[in-house]
Amino acid sequence: MDRLIDLLPQLWEATLETLYVATAALILGGLGGLVLGMALYASRPGSLFPNRVVFGILNVIVNTFRPIPFIILLAAVQPLARGVGIPGIGVPFAIFAITIASLFAISRIVEQNLLTVRPGVIEAARAAGASRSRILFRLIPREALGPLALGYTFVVVALVDMTAMAGAVAAGGLGEFAINYGFKQFNPWVTWAAVLVIVVIVQAVQFLGNRLARRILRR
């Protein structure tokens, strides 16, 4: 317990690193996944801009990368990271790897949530003279905003989990803190302190996400 007290500054720093990595990956992967997810939705057969070739290519790409376990993806993208000037360890690498992993996961979540928009809403907009582009970029995201809020909440929780796993390759955050000061030094107090902080972060994110989704759905 005394060792944990001595490590409180490092625990605070690791917590900030976890939040920073998760936020940066959410912004980068969230935007990229949103664009890719909307492209999947728009190009699927029977949608606004149906294109079997484009949809097939995007679908194969997403289905190729999305199932890869993150711990394996960490090792797989290290050469790619070094190739673009990012070291294979540390916070920048964690952001790079988590962004790649989250991009494909988010794209599928976005596509599935956009599919929840009722066809009648789209047909009514088309009958009123709205263009397909206007429907895709304005109407559909607004109609699917509640499910999207819940989907992105799930993503943030997953990103926090990924930052912890990234600690296995010295990528900073609470994961590296728990491994270096807890697991390797046989100190369960330190390990469980990191676990507790992660649980608090996840609970806070889930609470805020659920509350936001409820407010959107009640409009």
Side-chain angles (χ1 to χ4, degrees), residues 16-61:
L16 293 179
E17 283 183 346
T18 293
L19 294 173
Y20 171 68
V21 170
T23 301
L26 176 64
I27 293 172
L28 297 174
L31 292 175
L34 179 63
V35 172
L36 182 55
M38 292 184 71
L40 281 166
Y41 170 81
S43 62
R44 67 185 297 114
S47 190
L48 294 168
F49 299 92
N51 189 312
R52 291 184 179 274
V53 175
V54 172
F55 177 76
I57 293 173
L58 294 179
N59 197 47
V60 168
I61 293 173

Side-chain angles (χ1 to χ4, degrees), residues 38 131-144:
M38 292 184 71
S131 66
R132 291 183 294 175
S133 297
R134 184 182 179 89
I135 293 172
L136 177 62
F137 293 110
R138 299 189 63 178
L139 174 65
I140 291 176
R142 185 173 67 246
E143 290 293 323

Side-chain angles (χ1 to χ4, degrees), residues 70-71 74 78 88-89 93 162-177 179-180 184:
F70 181 65
I71 195 68
L74 279 172
Q78 275 189 328
I89 60 174
F93 173 67
M162 290 181 190
T163 62
M165 284 187 280
V169 293
L174 290 165
E176 183 177 356
F177 174 84
I179 291 172
N180 289 342
K184 290 183 178 180

Side-chain angles (χ1 to χ4, degrees), residues 5 10 12 17 33 45-46 49 57 80-81 94 124 132 135 137 141 146 156 158 161-162 168 170 172 192 205 213 219:
I5 295 174
Q10 288 90 330
W12 173 246
E17 283 183 346
F49 299 92
I57 293 173
L80 179 60
R132 291 183 294 175
I135 293 172
F137 293 110
V156 175
D161 292 341
M162 290 181 190
W192 280 104
V205 169
R219 291 188 309 176

Side-chain angles (χ1 to χ4, degrees), residues 64-77 97 101 162 165:
T64 298
F65 286 93
R66 192 168 64 96
I68 301 176
F70 181 65
I71 195 68
I72 297 176
L73 185 67
L74 279 172
V77 300
M162 290 181 190
M165 284 187 280

